[in-house]
Amino acid sequence: MFALNPQHTAKCLHLWKRTFYRPLSTRKWLGAALCGCSCVLRIIHPVTRSQTVQFSSKKERIDMSEYDVDYIRNFSIIAHVDHGKSTLADRLLEITGCIPKASSNKQVLDKLQVERERGITVKAQTASLFYTFEGKRYLLNLIDTPGHVDFSYEVSRSLSACQGVLLVVDANEGIQAQTVANFFLAFEAQLSIIPVINKIDLKNADPERVEKQIEKMFDIPASDCIRISAKFGTNVETVLQEVVRKLPPPKVERGGPFKALLFDSMFDHYRGVVASIAIFGGEVCKGNKIVSVHTGKSYDVNEVGILTPEEMPTDKLCAGQVGYLVAGMKAVQEAQIGDTFHLYKQPVEPLPGFKDAKPMVFAGMFPVDQSEYSNLKNALDKLTLNDSSVSVSRDSSAALGAGWRLGFLGLLHMEVFNQRLEQEYNASVIMTAPTVPYRAVLSSQKLIKEYGAQEITIVNPTAFPDKTVASAYLEPMILGTIISPDEHLGKIMSLCQSRRAEHKSLIYIDDHRIMLKYLFPLNEVVVDFYDNLKSLSSGYASFDYEDAGYQAADLIKMDILLNGCAVEELVTIANREKAYEVGKAICEKLRDAIPRQLFEIAVQAAIGSKIIARETIKAYRKNVLAKCYGGDISRKMKLLKRQAEGKKKMRRIGNVEVPKDAFISVLKRQPDK
């Protein structure tokens, strides 16, 4: 590396300024003229005058005060999985000029790698659209939401920042289970609903049938439905016009103090917490001092802006608008979803927050190497900031060390969370077998006083109390909704009966489609019910569920033994009637998942001291008689006896290592016949 003196530096800068606006062809002499400094300029790409103007135009800040509340519309897109929400969002972004029209625009708002790989929306995303209608310029704030039941908490939070929704229904599939669930979420939030029938370009599309379904199920006139093809952009402009016409502007305090709801957040390594806010009063600018109602801490606002869908800083955000705010929050615990922000020394009444997410599935998470505990904890804190529906509590295991017990909204939610940890934070973890939260009714006053309640919730199967402590056990129940063609009715009812379900109702939503409602034990549904339902109905059935409280059940604690030693991480809670079936399935899974050793491994399922199922993993066996010739029987017997003694010793002192994949797979059943 050469040394630069002040004269060389000044000369370089002078020559660079002289050639900055010259044509590229006139700069070829530059490398030789700069006193041996050509290696510096090889990495600097000259910029033309037109490029400079274009770059600076992108940095021009929009004056958000120009958009009065009457010209603002905040709305979400809700639908069942794969009904075209993200594709419709792409077309809306193109029409309003947020992104250039291109064939490569596919699910632009699905930014996560896991969303691209799985083809589903996992995280709600916001975008601000500028649309001119009848000579007036409107600001439309769009939120694209997930469609799977495991991410319904994202939908409910997004609706809190909206005044209306686009309810998208596939013209071929018609109303599905999650369509019904999302409709009632919007209906209970008293939002305006615009029905949109998508995919009218498909060969088997039947929009008339879908309009009748919408009219029958939701009491929305068929004339209000908008027929579109999001893929080709057919009639999508009408959707924007109806948003402007039918959705009301936000209800805000125009002259009141600043008041904002924190409805989402993410962590940036350089700026700290980036908070997504909906403003219900006043305005906020860079340099303002704001206070969190939840923590009482004050912060200086470093940046405010909108998403288009990329971050675009603005001078201010005003009442009725949705945007982002950076205020130097470095600790992830400081950004609580549902928090209210106000200006310093201008307190306000807190806005209604969100109901706490109710975890349906619990699993233990442990680092593969305990030396990675601190790094994994930091990654977990940052990811739970972005996904606040995950509950976290500390846990420990004799075999796996220190870790956490995490609560998820479903099995897909758990798998996606684990995948995001690996992709976004390069974290390698061990997940234990999933279980659901049970309750036990304590039998003695001493225990009731100790725990402070008559009922205790059990999220870790190892803490399941026996009959001497608990007088009764309760298991979580859900009300499941199944929508399917009527030709699969018999198979679906058989599947539900095999899962201890109680039939509640059956309704025909049109000539060929039925809606079934069943009361399920959550443990029978959460792992593999949906996969089996799809298989039996050739992919046409859809499933959604909601919490239905707890119900008394005959539950037992089942231990899994490897060579007589209980494996704490594989302890299972099961219904007594199905204990043998569950125990045998777990033993078979472990037999296939655990690699063979030099000694025989007995895999057993036990209830107390009673063994109810067993599988054996055969040992590798060396042929010790290979070098024996002739008929020396005594020598052969001696070798075999010595081998047997060695096997016995290895079995007594040998360790059996359970692979990481076994923990997630042991509770998965074989497909129902």
Side-chain angles (χ1 to χ4, degrees):
M1 189 70 184
F2 57 87
L4 287 177
N5 59 40
Q7 292 180 347
H8 288 168
T9 306
K11 186 177 180 182
C12 291
L13 292 175
H14 178 67
L15 288 172
W16 175 251
K17 288 177 182 177
R18 286 183 58 191
T19 57
F20 185 79
Y21 293 111
R22 295 190 180 205
L24 186 61
S25 60
T26 65
R27 302 179 203 163
K28 293 180 181 179
W29 55 270
L30 192 60
L34 292 183
C35 54
C37 301
S38 59
C39 58
V40 176
L41 292 177
R42 284 196 191 105
I43 62 171
I44 302 175
H45 301 284
V47 183
T48 63
R49 188 186 301 268
S50 61
Q51 287 174 324
T52 308
V53 173
Q54 185 179 7
F55 180 76
S56 62
S57 66
K58 289 185 178 180
K59 295 297 182 183
E60 290 178 2
R61 294 179 182 254
I62 299 173
D63 185 2
M64 300 304 292
S65 59
E66 294 180 356
Y67 296 91
D68 187 72
V69 176
D70 293 334
Y71 298 99
I72 297 175
R73 301 291 186 269
N74 301 324
F75 67 99
S76 288
I77 304 178
I78 58 176
H80 187 77
V81 179
D82 200 31
H83 278 207
K85 298 181 303 300
S86 299
T87 307
L88 175 58
D90 293 342
R91 299 293 85 75
L92 296 179
L93 291 171
E94 289 177 353
I95 290 173
T96 54
C98 291
I99 58 175
K101 292 185 178 181
S103 58
S104 59
N105 289 336
K106 294 180 180 179
Q107 287 78 45
V108 173
L109 293 180
D110 290 346
K111 300 177 181 178
L112 300 178
Q113 183 180 345
V114 65
E115 293 177 320
R116 295 287 183 177
E117 291 177 357
R118 290 179 175 263
I120 59 173
T121 301
V122 168
K123 186 72 185 157
Q125 298 290 349
T126 306
S128 295
L129 320 176
F130 299 95
Y131 181 63
T132 303
F133 178 64
E134 294 181 350
K136 299 174 183 176
R137 192 164 172 81
Y138 289 85
L139 172 62
L140 312 179
N141 295 307
L142 156 71
I143 303 180
D144 182 27
T145 62
H148 196 279
V149 61
D150 282 11
F151 307 101
S152 58
Y153 190 65
E154 289 283 328
V155 180
S156 63
R157 287 195 293 105
S158 301
L159 296 184
S160 65
C162 300
Q163 286 73 51
V165 297
L166 299 178
L167 181 65
V168 180
V169 185
D170 192 317
N172 186 29
E173 300 291 337
I175 290 176
Q176 301 292 305
Q178 194 63 24
T179 312
V180 178
N182 285 334
F183 168 82
F184 283 108
L185 278 176
F187 184 77
E188 290 169 6
Q190 299 181 348
L191 303 181
S192 300
I193 300 172
I194 300 176
V196 177
I197 300 176
N198 190 22
K199 302 185 181 181
I200 59 172
D201 56 291
L202 294 180
K203 182 179 179 180
N204 297 323
D206 191 354
E208 291 84 3
R209 173 176 60 87
V210 177
E211 286 175 351
K212 292 177 182 177
Q213 290 179 3
I214 292 173
E215 191 166 18
K216 182 177 180 179
M217 290 293 297
F218 307 139
D219 198 24
I220 298 176
S223 57
D224 290 352
C225 298
I226 306 173
R227 301 182 184 183
I228 68 165
S229 169
K231 182 178 180 180
F232 297 104
T234 307
N235 210 27
V236 174
E237 183 98 25
T238 307
V239 175
L240 287 172
Q241 296 171 2
E242 290 298 294
V243 166
V244 172
R245 288 196 192 102
K246 293 186 176 180
L247 299 190
K251 296 179 181 178
V252 297
E253 300 174 14
R254 302 192 186 207
F258 170 66
K259 183 193 294 186
L261 176 69
L262 172 62
F263 68 90
D264 200 0
S265 56
M266 61 168 288
F267 188 83
D268 186 278
H269 291 285
Y270 302 101
R271 298 180 294 170
V273 175
V274 180
S276 297
I277 57 172
I279 302 178
F280 288 85
E283 61 182 38
V284 63
C285 309
K286 179 180 178 180
N288 285 155
K289 195 170 187 178
I290 61 172
V291 179
S292 160
V293 171
H294 179 77
T295 63
K297 293 183 178 180
S298 59
Y299 307 94
D300 292 322
V301 178
N302 300 326
E303 183 182 332
V304 295
I306 58 175
L307 298 169
T308 63
E310 300 302 323
E311 290 183 1
M312 178 180 287
T314 61
D315 291 326
K316 65 174 69 174
L317 289 175
C318 305
Q321 297 172 3
V322 175
Y324 71 90
L325 177 147
V326 180
M329 299 181 197
K330 297 300 181 184
V332 295
Q333 294 80 8
E334 297 177 36
Q336 295 292 327
I337 300 299
D339 196 2
T340 301
F341 290 131
H342 63 82
L343 293 179
Y344 185 65
K345 292 185 178 180
Q346 297 183 27
V348 297
E349 284 293 321
L351 292 163
F354 309 107
K355 292 181 181 178
D356 291 334
K358 202 165 187 179
M360 295 289 198
V361 178
F362 287 85
M365 175 181 284
F366 301 88
V368 173
D369 186 346
Q370 281 296 308
S371 63
E372 294 294 321
Y373 180 87
S374 297
N375 293 336
L376 182 56
K377 183 180 184 300
N378 292 333
L380 201 59
D381 289 341
K382 293 171 185 175
L383 191 52
T384 50
L385 172 71
N386 192 238
D387 188 354
S388 59
S389 59
V390 178
S391 66
V392 182
S393 59
R394 289 191 177 184
D395 196 7
S396 62
S397 163
L400 300 175
W404 301 268
R405 174 68 51 169
L406 305 182
F408 304 94
L409 301 182
L411 195 66
L412 177 63
H413 186 203
M414 183 181 80
E415 293 174 355
V416 166
F417 188 88
N418 188 16
Q419 194 171 343
R420 288 187 67 186
L421 265 180
E422 293 178 354
Q423 292 175 350
E424 298 174 28
Y425 299 95
N426 197 27
S428 182
V429 299
I430 296 174
M431 296 288 291
T432 63
T435 184
V436 300
Y438 295 96
R439 288 182 181 175
V441 181
L442 300 177
S443 56
S444 68
Q445 290 298 322
K446 181 180 178 181
L447 290 169
I448 294 173
K449 186 176 180 181
E450 180 183 343
Y451 286 98
Q454 188 173 6
E455 290 184 4
I456 59 171
T457 302
I458 304 138
V459 298
N460 193 337
T462 57
F464 192 76
D466 56 27
K467 279 290 186 181
T468 60
V469 175
S471 59
Y473 301 114
L474 306 174
E475 66 177 342
M477 306 295 292
I478 57 168
L479 183 62
T481 302
I482 302 171
I483 295 180
S484 170
D486 55 5
E487 62 192 76
H488 306 294
L489 177 60
K491 294 179 182 178
I492 292 174
M493 294 185 75
S494 298
L495 173 63
C496 295
Q497 289 171 5
S498 69
R499 298 303 179 91
R500 299 189 289 126
E502 180 184 342
H503 182 254
K504 290 296 182 182
S505 66
L506 189 155
I507 300 173
Y508 272 85
I509 61 176
D510 63 19
D511 295 339
H512 302 288
R513 296 177 67 80
I514 54 172
M515 183 171 71
L516 293 160
K517 285 190 178 291
Y518 275 91
L519 188 66
F520 288 95
L522 178 59
N523 187 43
E524 299 284 346
V525 169
V526 77
V527 176
D528 61 347
F529 176 81
Y530 186 68
D531 294 338
N532 291 330
L533 178 66
K534 282 290 186 182
S535 298
L536 292 175
S537 63
S538 302
Y540 287 108
S542 61
F543 179 67
D544 181 70
Y545 59 83
E546 58 185 279
D547 181 37
Y550 281 77
Q551 185 172 294
D554 186 10
L555 303 175
I556 53 93
K557 176 183 175 182
M558 183 189 304
D559 293 312
I560 304 299
L561 312 177
L562 295 180
N563 279 345
C565 298
V567 182
E568 183 180 301
E569 294 75 26
L570 297 179
V571 174
T572 305
I573 301 172
N575 186 275
R576 189 178 296 275
E577 293 180 358
K578 308 191 80 172
Y580 170 75
E581 176 190 332
V582 174
K584 184 171 178 58
I586 292 177
C587 290
E588 289 175 350
K589 288 284 185 181
L590 288 176
R591 180 196 63 196
D592 298 333
I594 298 176
R596 294 172 66 187
Q597 307 289 329
L598 291 174
F599 52 92
E600 188 178 88
I601 303 172
V603 183
Q604 298 169 310
I607 301 174
S609 59
K610 182 181 179 182
I611 304 298
I612 63 169
R614 171 178 171 136
E615 293 291 334
T616 303
I617 303 174
K618 297 296 183 182
Y620 286 121
R621 190 176 184 89
K622 182 180 178 181
N623 185 8
V624 295
L625 305 179
K627 295 183 179 180
C628 292
Y629 298 97
D632 191 352
I633 302 298
S634 60
R635 184 164 181 255
K636 291 181 180 179
M637 294 302 295
K638 184 178 179 180
L639 289 172
L640 290 173
K641 184 178 180 181
R642 188 180 299 170
Q643 184 187 44
E645 288 174 353
K647 297 283 187 185
K648 187 176 180 181
K649 182 179 179 180
M650 280 192 293
R651 182 175 179 181
R652 186 171 65 251
I653 66 173
N655 292 323
V656 180
E657 194 171 316
V658 182
K660 164 180 169 179
D661 297 339
F663 290 111
I664 194 66
S665 66
V666 290
L667 286 187
K668 291 190 177 181
R669 311 167 194 259
Q670 298 297 326
D672 293 87
K673 304 298 181 184

